[in-house]
Amino acid sequence: MYQYDKYDQTMIDQRVAQFRDQTRRFLAGELTEEQFRPLRLMNGLYIQIHAPMLRVAIPYGMMSSRQVRKIAEVARRYDKGYVHFTTRQNFQMNWPKLEEVPDILAELASVQMHAIQSSGNCIRNTTSDQLAGVNANEIEDPRPWAEIIRQWSTFHPEFAYLPRKFKIAVVGSKEDRAATKLHDIGLHLVKNHEGAVGFEVLVGGGLGRTPIIGEQIRPFLEKQDLLSYLEAILRVYNRLGRRDNKYKARIKITVREHGINHIRELVEAEWVHIRDQLKLDSKEIERVKQYFTEPAYERDVADSDSSFTELLAQDKEFALWVKQNTADHKIPGYRAAYVSLKKPGQAPGDITSEQLEVVADLADEFSFSEVRSTHTQNLVYTDVKQADLYALWLRLNAEGLATPNINTLTDIICCPGLDYCGLANATSIPLSKGIAQRFDDLDYLHDLGDIKIKFSGCMNGCAHQSVGHIGILGVDKKGEEWYQFTLGGSSEADASLGERLGRAIPKEEVIDTVAHLLDAYIDLRHDDESFLATVRRVGVDPFKERVYAEDH
């Protein structure tokens, strides 16, 4: 993973000192709330219902075991002993004291972590595939490109105050585990007809109040032109983006209002002027790539071990976990192993300090001291020998981190909702817990297969409910919490927006409504047909009839 040089470290340390002084002046009454607000937002600090919330960047989801231990330490010392992992591969602390936030940032800076540009109208954390570098289907590892983008975008003076927040994601294979089509810019590493590797560029995706699937603006971009083309897009957006209405300020609205063809013409015209100034030379690309070399795999030893197959046959619980919570690896004898943060009864994405310390220890022992956060609010060890999976599973299971539910109904993506967020209209965490507890029968879950529930407490859609196989959105009706359902969405390579099921559902009927949808699916599916495939085949009407049967 990327390691700071003296310039990186100096920059982060200076930013901590700067924010410490800004916080001191605010608490002393020398800065007004209006003056302090943009300063704190650019340092990842929100004001929530009960306390400040600090969002810390995890570039493309990569963490060392040392960083994980530091997260555990600051959560114990400055918060309530847990953190929350988000859909942008970041983590959040929900209970820090404002006067102690500079101390938290100083602690994090000591292990090369920061909260810079994790909020505000700027270029946010660049995200990627959590299996980057180990996926056998990959054209090329996207992490060096995500790091190049991070270095280019951090403190970019021209894009510090954009019309609205701006998000970029990059993947290296046809599989899309980073929801690239729902980002302001999505980048896919692709091969052209000559076999050269470059980027397909998508623009104008986004969720929230107006969910839109991104459109292709350029089918192939040479690697050397990556930064200049991104800069051209950002410049066009900075000029045209709406600043009179924050709900219409995202680039997705700009693209929709002007049309992709006109936006493409403007971007290409801007690109002509700056293309030669921002070319990425091969030396710089190789400099960054050398931070992402392969670890010391024990190829022959790992591939020749037979104990893994024997243990699969002997222990059904272990075999179930391997089937559901591990993924193929490009190196024979290795697998990627997911750490589920979705145990029934806990808030999705939450993990305690004690659990984090175990995660760090296991990373040292089994996965080259590395952990990654995922788009789906879980963690993953990317490089585990098959022979070590049983020992890893036993340890994770003892800590409540081995629920075999990755990509099942109870692997719910959930926002903080009304329990924490000042923007929320409705609660989400308690109902997500209730759904997980209602449907925690593992045989039932695995029979249902891949079902993605995404649950947001307001129209901002932080949990991406618009692209859930089952999307649930909390709304306020005269002071009461109601919930709208959508079906058939996807954030993957086949990205699609869910279709509205019908009228909103009262809070007390939400879990039963999920049960009705599942019963309908079981009756409607063909053989092993997935939930999403069934919805796309039959439409929402048969599900609507089941849910609203009492209306007739």
Side-chain angles (χ1 to χ4, degrees):
M1 62 186 293
Y2 182 75
Q3 299 294 310
Y4 285 8
D5 59 24
K6 65 179 181 179
Y7 301 106
D8 294 306
Q9 192 65 54
T10 298
M11 180 175 66
I12 300 304
D13 291 341
Q14 288 177 346
R15 184 56 174 262
V16 172
Q18 181 190 58
F19 187 63
R20 187 183 297 280
D21 183 60
Q22 291 166 347
T23 304
R24 178 195 61 78
R25 286 188 286 146
F26 172 69
L27 293 173
E30 298 171 17
L31 292 176
T32 66
E33 170 57 36
E34 186 177 355
Q35 292 170 323
F36 185 59
R37 184 175 183 274
L39 302 176
R40 64 171 171 79
L41 287 175
M42 293 293 279
N43 287 279
L45 188 64
Y46 290 79
I47 301 301
Q48 302 272 60
I49 291 176
H50 307 292
M53 181 273 282
L54 180 65
R55 179 184 296 138
V56 178
I58 306 174
Y60 35 92
M62 289 192 70
M63 295 174 287
S64 67
S65 58
R66 180 169 174 247
Q67 290 173 329
V68 175
R69 287 192 183 90
K70 178 59 71 172
I71 296 170
E73 180 185 336
V74 297
R76 181 182 295 111
R77 184 185 303 177
Y78 298 104
D79 206 288
K80 293 192 174 183
Y82 72 95
V83 299
H84 173 75
F85 283 92
T86 77
T87 56
R88 297 224 25 95
Q89 299 183 296
N90 298 317
F91 79 86
Q92 294 178 177
M93 299 173 65
N94 287 309
W95 299 96
K97 296 177 182 177
L98 177 57
E99 62 270 22
E100 293 182 339
V101 169
D103 295 328
I104 297 172
L105 295 177
E107 292 274 4
L108 293 171
S110 72
V111 293
Q112 304 188 358
M113 301 191 81
H114 64 77
I116 296 166
Q117 293 180 205
S118 60
S119 179
N121 295 335
C122 55
I123 302 172
R124 301 284 187 89
N125 182 40
T126 299
T127 56
S128 188
D129 180 0
Q130 67 265 15
L131 300 182
V134 304
N135 178 11
N137 300 324
E138 214 166 54
I139 293 174
E140 187 175 307
D141 189 343
R143 292 174 299 168
W145 302 104
E147 176 58 29
I148 287 170
I149 294 168
R150 185 195 70 82
Q151 294 188 23
W152 161 78
S153 62
T154 302
F155 294 138
H156 196 304
E158 191 174 343
F159 307 135
Y161 294 97
L162 293 166
R164 198 73 170 86
K165 58 187 176 181
F166 203 91
K167 301 174 181 179
I168 302 173
V170 54
V171 295
S173 68
K174 291 182 179 179
E175 304 141 325
D176 190 352
R177 283 176 282 264
T180 57
K181 293 183 179 180
L182 303 167
H183 280 69
D184 300 283
I185 293 177
L187 296 168
H188 297 169
L189 281 156
V190 294
K191 288 184 178 180
N192 64 11
H193 296 302
E194 288 75 39
V197 177
F199 296 95
E200 177 192 17
V201 185
L202 309 175
V203 70
L207 295 173
R209 293 174 179 268
T210 311
I212 296 175
I213 304 295
E215 299 183 69
Q216 185 192 83
I217 191 170
R218 191 171 181 85
F220 187 83
L221 178 73
E222 293 184 21
K223 292 176 179 179
Q224 64 181 359
D225 294 321
L226 175 62
L227 296 186
S228 60
Y229 202 77
L230 294 181
E231 185 130 338
I233 294 173
L234 265 295
R235 284 189 172 188
V236 170
Y237 168 56
N238 212 9
R239 291 199 305 268
L240 297 183
R242 298 277 296 271
R243 298 179 188 270
D244 61 326
N245 185 335
K246 71 176 183 178
Y247 300 117
K248 297 182 179 181
R250 297 290 296 272
I251 194 174
K252 62 186 179 182
I253 304 299
T254 306
V255 172
R256 190 174 70 173
E257 289 182 344
H258 292 268
I260 187 64
N261 292 330
H262 182 54
I263 294 296
R264 184 184 294 111
E265 291 174 3
L266 294 174
V267 169
E268 295 283 332
E270 179 68 34
W271 189 39
V272 169
H273 298 295
I274 63 175
R275 183 177 182 179
D276 292 336
Q277 303 168 24
L278 268 176
K279 279 191 184 296
L280 275 167
D281 62 45
S282 57
K283 288 183 179 179
E284 176 60 13
I285 294 171
E286 290 306 313
R287 182 189 73 83
V288 177
K289 280 188 174 182
Q290 68 183 355
Y291 289 104
F292 300 94
T293 54
E294 284 188 357
Y297 293 123
E298 298 178 11
R299 296 170 185 260
D300 294 337
V301 174
D303 193 30
S304 63
D305 183 88
S306 61
S307 62
F308 172 66
T309 304
E310 295 169 2
L311 287 165
L312 284 177
Q314 294 170 10
D315 194 319
K316 292 183 178 179
E317 289 187 21
F318 171 61
L320 180 60
W321 177 79
V322 169
K323 177 183 177 182
Q324 205 65 46
N325 286 31
T326 71
D328 291 340
H329 197 287
K330 68 179 183 181
I331 305 297
Y334 282 82
R335 294 190 72 78
Y338 284 88
V339 179
S340 173
L341 305 186
K342 310 290 180 63
K343 182 180 179 180
Q346 77 171 47
D350 281 6
I351 185 170
T352 68
S353 294
E354 291 76 15
Q355 288 174 322
L356 281 168
E357 287 168 342
V358 172
V359 166
D361 291 343
L362 296 178
D364 286 337
E365 188 171 350
F366 297 116
S367 192
F368 300 101
S369 299
E370 182 190 297
V371 188
R372 301 188 196 178
S373 57
T374 78
H375 168 68
T376 53
Q377 297 179 297
N378 294 301
L379 302 176
V380 63
Y381 299 115
T382 52
D383 299 291
V384 183
K385 283 190 292 186
Q386 288 184 165
D388 291 337
L389 282 171
Y390 191 75
L392 174 64
W393 170 68
L394 288 174
R395 302 269 289 280
L396 288 174
N397 202 36
E399 298 296 327
L401 297 170
T403 304
N405 63 347
I406 300 299
N407 290 329
T408 71
L409 178 77
T410 61
D411 188 11
I412 299 171
I413 293 179
C414 180
C415 77
L418 202 55
D419 287 310
Y420 297 100
C421 181
L423 301 176
N425 297 315
T427 53
S428 52
I429 292 175
L431 287 172
S432 294
K433 288 181 179 179
I435 293 169
Q437 289 173 318
R438 171 79 169 267
F439 305 104
D440 67 348
D441 181 278
L442 293 177
D443 289 336
Y444 179 62
L445 283 181
H446 297 126
D447 176 66
L448 293 174
D450 182 5
I451 300 181
K452 294 180 173 62
I453 294 182
K454 303 188 179 186
F455 200 139
S456 292
C458 79
M459 288 296 293
N460 288 300
C462 294
H464 303 178
Q465 83 288 341
S466 300
V467 289
H469 296 172
I470 299 175
I472 308 175
L473 170 65
V475 296
D476 175 78
K477 284 190 175 186
K478 298 180 180 179
E480 295 183 354
E481 298 174 52
W482 289 67
Y483 296 83
Q484 294 174 350
F485 278 70
T486 53
L487 298 181
S490 172
S491 63
E492 299 179 11
D494 60 347
S496 61
L497 302 177
E499 184 177 345
R500 178 88 168 268
L501 183 67
R503 62 170 174 79
I505 304 294
K507 185 176 182 179
E508 61 273 14
E509 296 178 15
V510 166
I511 298 175
D512 285 341
T513 297
V514 173
H516 293 322
L517 293 172
L518 299 180
D519 289 343
Y521 161 56
I522 291 170
D523 292 342
L524 292 164
R525 67 181 175 182
H526 289 169
D527 299 325
D528 294 329
E529 187 179 43
S530 71
F531 182 88
L532 181 59
T534 300
V535 174
R536 287 176 171 175
R537 176 174 57 80
V538 304
V540 302
D541 285 345
F543 293 90
K544 183 184 299 185
E545 291 171 4
R546 190 70 62 94
V547 170
Y548 302 110
E550 295 181 2
D551 291 351
H552 304 297

